[in-house]
Amino acid sequence: MNYRIKIRQLTDNDLGRDCQFPNTDSENYITHVDSLLESLRAIETIDTVNEIGGTIIIESQLTDKDDFWSSIKFLFEDEKENIKFLSAEQVA
């Protein structure tokens, strides 16, 4: 089953910091996304992982969305200081 997860870089506003010039450290964000992708690839029930412009496409052996989310949720909690989770959906 395929899943689509949308993410984006956290800004200073997301982190509760009032800043005239938001944090847009793209290099740091890319490092955290790469780390997240590698962690996803290490999960046994995940076959492929790709990221395109803030959308992660995952092909998983798990067909139940709740089981799938339970298997990866901790990774997004680990990155909550750097990456904002926007949505997840099952796609054909």
Side-chain angles (χ1 to χ4, degrees), residues 3 5 7-8 13 16 19 21 26 28 37 40-41 57-58 61 64 72-76 79 82-83 86 89:
Y3 298 88
I5 300 171
I7 59 171
R8 75 170 169 79
N13 283 344
C19 185
F21 304 101
S26 295
N28 187 40
L37 297 177
L40 286 166
R41 288 181 181 115
I57 307 293
I58 297 172
Q61 299 163 19
D64 181 80
I72 67 166
K73 184 178 178 181
F74 72 97
L75 294 174
F76 288 90
E79 288 291 346
N82 305 295
I83 297 171
L86 299 176
E89 63 183 332

Side-chain angles (χ1 to χ4, degrees), residues 40-63:
L40 286 166
R41 288 181 181 115
I43 295 175
E44 287 184 27
T45 57
I46 292 179
D47 296 323
T48 60
V49 177
N50 293 301
E51 188 269 338
I52 303 167
T55 300
I56 300 172
I57 307 293
I58 297 172
E59 185 179 331
S60 174
Q61 299 163 19
L62 298 175
T63 57

Side-chain angles (χ1 to χ4, degrees), residues 67-84:
D67 289 344
F68 170 74
W69 184 245
S70 294
S71 73
I72 67 166
K73 184 178 178 181
F74 72 97
L75 294 174
F76 288 90
E77 290 172 358
D78 289 348
E79 288 291 346
K80 68 183 175 189
E81 295 295 320
N82 305 295
I83 297 171
K84 181 166 180 72

Side-chain angles (χ1 to χ4, degrees), residues 19-46:
C19 185
Q20 189 174 1
F21 304 101
N23 175 15
T24 55
D25 184 357
S26 295
E27 210 169 288
N28 187 40
Y29 171 69
I30 290 168
T31 299
H32 287 285
V33 170
D34 286 345
S35 174
L36 176 64
L37 297 177
E38 287 305 311
S39 297
L40 286 166
R41 288 181 181 115
I43 295 175
E44 287 184 27
T45 57
I46 292 179

